Amino acid sequence: MNKLSTLAALVALGFTAGAQAQTLTKIQNSGEIAMGVRESSAPLSYTLGNNRFVGYHVDLCQAIVDNISKTIGKKVNVKYVAVTSQNRIPLTQNGTVDLECGSTTNNEARQKDVAFGLTTYMTEVRMVVKVKSGITSIGQLNGKTVATTTGTTSGQTLRKHQRAAKANFKELF
């Protein structure tokens, strides 16, 4: 793959024009790329232990790394950096992570902080309750405790619906 097609791939993954050249130079000089990965976001990115990560997005990112290696004419080593919902955006912003390969929702608020590539995976937020609970709506969660993950779209969606239903429930993070 030539340099132009690698740059196009980086654009597809959300690198801006200035960041493309800067990131490629950084990778060429160091021979390493810092890949942000999730430890438990199957099937997109998860660990097998011993610093081995797999998943759909890890595979996509590895294909980009392979193309970068061809472009710069040397093998690029991958340094895996475990990221969480809370730190993935800041670590990408500050350059700790060159490429985040997880399940980060592309929305307008986040686009102000980081660039996104093409959408590669779509899902919906769902909630799970015991069948015997009889709960069928957000409003019925009034007075209950609900588990969610800080910094995720599911948490934001839950709070939005909580306000709309005027429900008062406790969030457990």
Side-chain angles (χ1 to χ4, degrees):
M1 179 168 266
N2 64 31
K3 190 170 187 170
L4 182 60
S5 54
T6 298
L7 291 175
L10 289 172
V11 170
L13 283 171
F15 285 83
T16 61
Q20 293 170 22
Q22 183 180 14
T23 301
L24 277 178
T25 300
K26 176 184 170 187
I27 295 166
Q28 186 166 21
N29 291 340
S30 69
E32 181 176 86
I33 188 168
M35 184 186 295
V37 289
R38 297 288 196 90
E39 293 183 313
S40 60
S41 188
L44 305 176
S45 171
Y46 58 99
T47 184
L48 297 175
N50 297 325
N51 204 35
R52 285 192 56 218
F53 290 86
V54 295
Y56 179 64
H57 282 157
V58 176
D59 290 347
L60 291 175
C61 288
Q62 187 57 56
I64 296 300
V65 172
D66 293 344
N67 288 332
I68 292 171
S69 291
K70 290 176 188 171
T71 299
I72 65 174
K74 67 179 180 181
K75 180 172 175 25
V76 174
N77 295 313
V78 175
K79 173 186 165 191
Y80 293 108
V81 179
V83 297
T84 65
S85 299
Q86 296 86 357
N87 71 12
R88 60 193 167 183
I89 302 287
L91 291 178
T92 303
Q93 286 178 300
N94 72 21
T96 301
V97 168
D98 297 313
L99 183 62
E100 196 254 336
C101 306
S103 56
T104 302
T105 300
N106 180 352
N107 61 35
E108 285 185 47
R110 289 178 176 161
Q111 288 172 13
K112 293 175 184 171
D113 296 325
V114 294
F116 286 86
L118 300 173
T119 300
T120 58
Y121 186 85
M122 292 177 57
T123 188
E124 292 182 288
V125 174
R126 296 284 187 198
M127 294 192 329
V128 177
V129 298
K130 290 181 181 179
V131 173
K132 295 178 184 178
S133 73
I135 295 172
T136 59
S137 71
I138 297 278
Q140 292 173 309
L141 295 174
N142 198 38
K144 307 283 186 201
T145 299
V146 178
T148 187
T149 305
T150 302
T152 63
T153 302
S154 58
Q156 294 169 3
T157 301
L158 180 65
R159 285 185 289 284
K160 180 177 92 174
H161 288 290
Q162 175 188 23
R163 288 189 298 274
K166 295 184 173 65
N168 184 19
F169 52 80
K170 179 182 173 188
E171 273 189 87
L172 191 72
F173 301 101

